[in-house]
Amino acid sequence: MHEWALADAIVNSSLKLAKDKGLSKVNEIFIRIGEVNNIDIDAFNFALSEIMKGTILENSKIIFNEIQANLKCNNCGFIFNYKNEFDKLSEDEKESIHFIPETVHIYIRCPNCGSIDFDFIEGRGIFLEDIK
Amino acid sequence: MHEWALADAIVNSSLKLAKDKGLSKVNEIFIRIGEVNNIDIDAFNFALSEIMKGTILENSKIIFNEIQANLKCNNCGFIFNYKNEFDKLSEDEKESIHFIPETVHIYIRCPNCGSIDFDFIEGRGIFLEDIK
Amino acid sequence: MNFLDPRVDYIKKRFEKIDRVIGVSSAKGGVGKSTISVFTSLLLKQKGYKTGLLDLDIYGPSTHIILGVGNKKLKENFGVEPLDIDNLKFFSSIFFTDNKPFPMRGDELSNAILEILTIVNWDELDFLIIDMPPGFGEPTLDLLRLIKKIEFLIVTNPSIISLETVKKLIQTLNEGKYKILGVIENMKSTEDDLIIKSCKELKIDYLGSIPYFYDIEAIFGNVDTMIESNVSLYLDRILNKILT
Amino acid sequence: MNFLDPRVDYIKKRFEKIDRVIGVSSAKGGVGKSTISVFTSLLLKQKGYKTGLLDLDIYGPSTHIILGVGNKKLKENFGVEPLDIDNLKFFSSIFFTDNKPFPMRGDELSNAILEILTIVNWDELDFLIIDMPPGFGEPTLDLLRLIKKIEFLIVTNPSIISLETVKKLIQTLNEGKYKILGVIENMKSTEDDLIIKSCKELKIDYLGSIPYFYDIEAIFGNVDTMIESNVSLYLDRILNKILT
Ligand SMILES: Nc1ncnc2c1ncn2[C@@H]1O[C@H](COP(=O)(O)OP(=O)(O)O)[C@@H](O)[C@H]1O
Ligand SMILES: Nc1ncnc2c1ncn2[C@@H]1O[C@H](COP(=O)(O)OP(=O)(O)O)[C@@H](O)[C@H]1O
Ligand SMILES: [Mg+2]
Ligand SMILES: [Mg+2]
Ligand SMILES: [Mg+2]
Ligand SMILES: [Mg+2]
Ligand code: NI
Ligand code: NI
Ligand SMILES: [Zn+2]
Ligand SMILES: [Zn+2]
């Protein structure tokens, strides 16, 4: 479960942000999750709550904001939905993307022109949106 | 005057856009000019009107939208105004930037941390905004 | 921004006046792309072709060293005119960098490349030779996007390490149906047929080899000597195969 | 986006557990960065140091070829664990690319690098050796930004072309006050002192040279033979200078 590392990173940033904001207790954590990262939310959630134990984040409510992924082709300008392409991939390919989302450039092509040269418009990465 | 080439490029794109829009005569051309390109507006204007002669763009009013340049440091996050740094440069350095704006990375540093690793937020490039 | 970048169409227009655009590529560094780019363009102009040489390795420009060209001020004429070296038209970013380091991220690099393709006024050419940097980033992707008629001259040395990366380049170009002229095996010093065999497997023309010349750099900077050199002798045979 | 990217701080935290981070760089391609990265990490682990090797040349990964490592599934444990090769911890993007071409623009490359630095769990190390790609783009800029304690081992071959680019790298690192361990002159085959002289001018330590070994690739893939090889003999003397 490499979700543990991602959870650890989120906790690390949340603690820093809490300090910056002068919070002595955190109750809500807002996390933005890009579809491409294909996170196992249950595992991620579990990891988060385990790692938060004994910190000012303990028992915080985690609010996930899941963002659909869209890509734009630099060759033909076509904007396309990630999910459709993702569903066609093998389990191994899906797993590679789960670890290193940019490997989409290896396994996916622009459905309009076949180009390898496209970019994420949105839906990539895990971000800390806010804490309260 | 390399402004001639830039004017030629704008005319080329304006004619294409006019075709796409189905216009048989163009009266106004809106051009966005980034501060970094340091365009000689008079020369540019002159070149434009010369090149437009005999086309459906002839006698169009040119409306320039000049955009101040701001940069953001990837190393320290500092956002800084381009003009202040530009004014410190030699004539040769200014000329290099006029031709290839990215040479700012050679001649300018983040005023906060000294890093070479900054990006334009805005104020780079010449764009065709619209025609009417 | 959703405004129209006039460079994209203008570049296509500029390149309409250029008959053949040849990217000297390998994705691997240090195999002789720059060396072969320079000798190729010298040989082509010697044969009477209107020839241009564009150094697109902006992080590590080398062709000016091989040609022996220092900092020059370029003339302006509907853009900037490439330098005229005894009828070879030459452009490198070094004319604007004072030969200083030019570190930047890819989107800035892409912008610099588009600007160069926009402003350099090659006028009519039979051949434009483009010296490519290593890697698979903006320089390659932008050329693939903007200059569909580009042909690739692929350079490797007789090494399993280079071959591995070169194979990936060929795979990518094949997939996009770009034209590959073939592979040049540079710095060959044994009879090893690793590259020849691999070309067969990849169904790519093996154009020939250039031996390892110990003292090749001794003639750099002297255009006439370079044209008369053994490097040119070998390269000429290779070029004749792609001139038909 | 203005949201907090948790990777930036997490990478710094991960690297707190690594004593010395050494980037093997030159900005020029084909000078032996990957070869020296591999031999260096093998020698360090042989001396008993906890050593990691990270291949950051994502467009043209080579260290797996030199090490003779094929595709492997990595274990997951607070991220992914690097491959253990007889006590050398090794990570390359090839474990996730099926050894296919991986073309992408710089911002995507930067994202891939940040992801790798975030998820790879090196745990405690005495040395992490990073095999750098050529160029001056995201891989270099991101390391300079994220790992301030990084030290640079600069590789060149005895060529005026390589030297030109290497000089630019040194200039950039000096300006940012990064630590430069010194220069290794690889593939030396004559007594030419171009590089030695230039190091003096640049006030950079010339750490020594490694001869041109004709058949170096014959031992690639055989870790034990590599450690016993002449390459290691030469490199070992050089490394002793930076181990103090
Ligand atoms: N045929 C050859 N024999 C010997 N040395 C060569 C040969 N071709 C190129 N070189 C040398 O090899 C090095 C790499 O060549 P270069 O053209 O810079 O490669 P690239 O552009 O692929 O990085 C240079 O030092 C160059 O002088
Ligand atoms: N000392 C040496 N003698 C002979 N060949 C070498 C030596 N070091 C490296 N090489 C060869 O030179 C080529 C480039 O080396 P590599 O490590 O891939 O360079 P880089 O990582 O800088 O691109 C490879 O084919 C490698 O086998
Ligand atoms: Mg992008
Ligand atoms: Mg940018
Ligand atoms: Mg080169
Ligand atoms: Mg390498
Ligand atoms: Ni996972
Ligand atoms: Ni001008
Ligand atoms: Zn497309
Ligand atoms: Zn800064």
Side-chain angles (χ1 to χ4, degrees), chain D residues 109-128:
Chain D
L109 177 61
S110 176
N111 249 323
I113 289 173
L114 262 73
E115 202 71 28
I116 288 170
L117 296 178
T118 299
I119 67 172
V120 179
N121 182 4
W122 298 103
D123 205 7
E124 298 198 352
L125 287 182
D126 295 315
F127 286 95
L128 178 66

Side-chain angles (χ1 to χ4, degrees), chain B residues 74-75 109 116-117, chain D residues 141 145 148 172 175:
Chain B
N74 292 315
N75 185 51
R109 296 292 176 264
I116 44 173
D117 184 13
Chain D
L141 294 175
R145 168 169 85 95
K148 298 292 178 198
T172 301
E175 194 194 301

